[in-house]
Amino acid sequence: MSEHLADWTKGEEAITYQTCGACGHVQYFHRAFCAACGASGPRERRASGKGRVYATSLVCRAATPETRAHVPYNILLVDCAEGFRMMAHGETGLAIGDAVNASFKPFAGKLVPFFTKKT
Ligand SMILES: [Zn+2]
């Protein structure tokens, strides 16, 4: 039986991920099985929020009326310290390779992970 940790999608200030007990695969998107070897019941863990910028993309056109107030905003791909990659918001001016830390920020009525440069 795998426990379920609350994360930011549930309004909790946390990023969670899964590790496979059989092959060690690390995945961000939560599934009932390992995407690499198919073993069931990967373990959920809470991430440290530490990572490195893999890619950045400045969004200048709002996709929905709720996000219009936020443009321009930066969307990042972050390689997290635990070995998974996630998409998240981040401060503008971040460059590829920058070390970042996760915090959380309201965005269009939801709490979302927001990465800032590690100081
Ligand atoms: Zn596996």
Side-chain angles (χ1 to χ4, degrees):
M1 183 149 322
S2 64
E3 57 175 332
H4 194 80
L5 297 175
D7 70 351
W8 64 273
T9 62
K10 310 280 188 303
E12 192 77 19
E13 292 200 1
I15 295 166
T16 61
Y17 65 104
Q18 295 179 320
T19 58
C20 173
C23 76
H25 177 70
V26 177
Q27 60 194 22
Y28 175 59
F29 289 104
H30 293 220
R31 297 180 176 92
F33 58 89
C34 169
C37 77
S40 62
R43 286 184 57 171
E44 298 205 359
R45 293 170 194 274
R46 191 172 171 144
S48 63
K50 294 190 178 75
R52 207 164 272 282
V53 177
Y54 176 78
T56 76
S57 167
L58 192 65
V59 177
C60 297
R61 285 174 58 175
T64 65
E66 295 75 47
T67 58
R68 196 163 293 150
H70 297 275
V71 291
Y73 57 89
N74 211 11
I75 293 290
L76 312 173
L77 276 175
V78 176
D79 277 335
C80 293
E82 290 81 7
F84 63 94
R85 182 173 291 167
M86 68 180 286
M87 190 177 276
H89 292 260
E91 62 183 354
T92 52
L94 287 172
I96 290 166
D98 277 352
V100 287
N101 277 323
S103 58
F104 294 85
K105 208 175 141 169
F107 182 85
K110 259 179 77 175
L111 193 67
V112 299
F114 183 86
F115 283 88
T116 56
K117 192 164 188 166
K118 194 176 169 183
T119 48

